[in-house]
Amino acid sequence: GAVVSQHPSWVICKSGTSVKIECRSLDFQATTMFWYRQFPKQSLMLMATSNEGSKATYEQGVEKDKFLINHASLTLSTLTVTSAHPEDSSFYICSARDQGGLETQYFGPGTRLLVL
Amino acid sequence: AQSVTQLDSHVSVSEGTPVLLRCNYSSSYSPSLFWYVQHPNKGLQLLLKYTSAATLVKGINGFEAEFKKSETSFHLTKPSAHMSDAAEYFCVVRGSSNTGKLIFGQGTTLQVKP
């Protein structure tokens, strides 16, 4: 089946540093990937839609200069949290849309970010 | 606009008894609906999906859901709960745009007691 990986699975960083999270579709091509944020005991909140070869589309209230998204290939999207602060600590999950006609999104295992 | 409402934030059942997780949706057209499961500190796994084919959808691990247009519901059921079913469950509707954006319900925590 379709597999999506994320790296790293968890990261601890100091306030003010930047953190890059990778999302890869391992056995299919994904022209569209999605980035979500999940706070403890809450649902997933869509942050942005990442389109291969073009600019990402951000949801209302999400700072595009803080959460940089790059979708350079059909199997890789990256999310960079710039100048991270403790309030950015969260569980970040990506998904990739299968373009094989099934219109199903496959989710990565998530990346837990802790900013000290 | 599309939306989903999960009617219970927490459901507790005994092992071996039926599971019912309720979801109502709102959509201006025939929706695509999904149920995902999330185990602690894990990503999401697709249980099943409805995309305007058969109204009774069978998924993995013995779960199934029935699309009822008259009731705007898509409840998730399983005849017999297993301890490993304890997790967070999300009812999801696909948005109207061509981007395929997903709109998540608030989630239901399923507790399974021995």
Side-chain angles (χ1 to χ4, degrees), chain A residues 81-94:
Chain A
V81 184
T82 62
S83 186
H85 288 94
E87 58 265 30
D88 298 325
S89 299
S90 192
F91 195 48
Y92 292 88
I93 303 175
C94 74

Side-chain angles (χ1 to χ4, degrees), chain A residues 12-61:
Chain A
I12 301 173
C13 69
K14 293 182 179 180
S15 186
T17 61
S18 294
V19 174
K20 179 185 284 188
I21 302 170
E22 293 185 348
C23 177
R24 293 181 184 271
S25 58
L26 298 185
D27 49 5
F28 66 99
Q29 293 184 334
T31 57
T32 305
M33 291 184 173
F34 302 86
W35 286 97
Y36 297 84
R37 183 174 182 177
Q38 185 181 31
F39 291 104
K41 305 294 184 182
Q42 295 190 25
S43 188
L44 277 72
M45 181 192 78
L46 179 66
M47 299 174 65
T49 302
S50 170
N51 300 295
E52 188 265 336
S54 64
K55 291 183 178 180
T57 303
Y58 290 81
E59 295 300 302
Q60 191 173 10

Side-chain angles (χ1 to χ4, degrees), chain A residues 56-68:
Chain A
T57 303
Y58 290 81
E59 295 300 302
Q60 191 173 10
V62 178
E63 299 176 62
K64 61 181 180 181
D65 294 330
K66 181 167 185 61
F67 298 99
L68 300 179

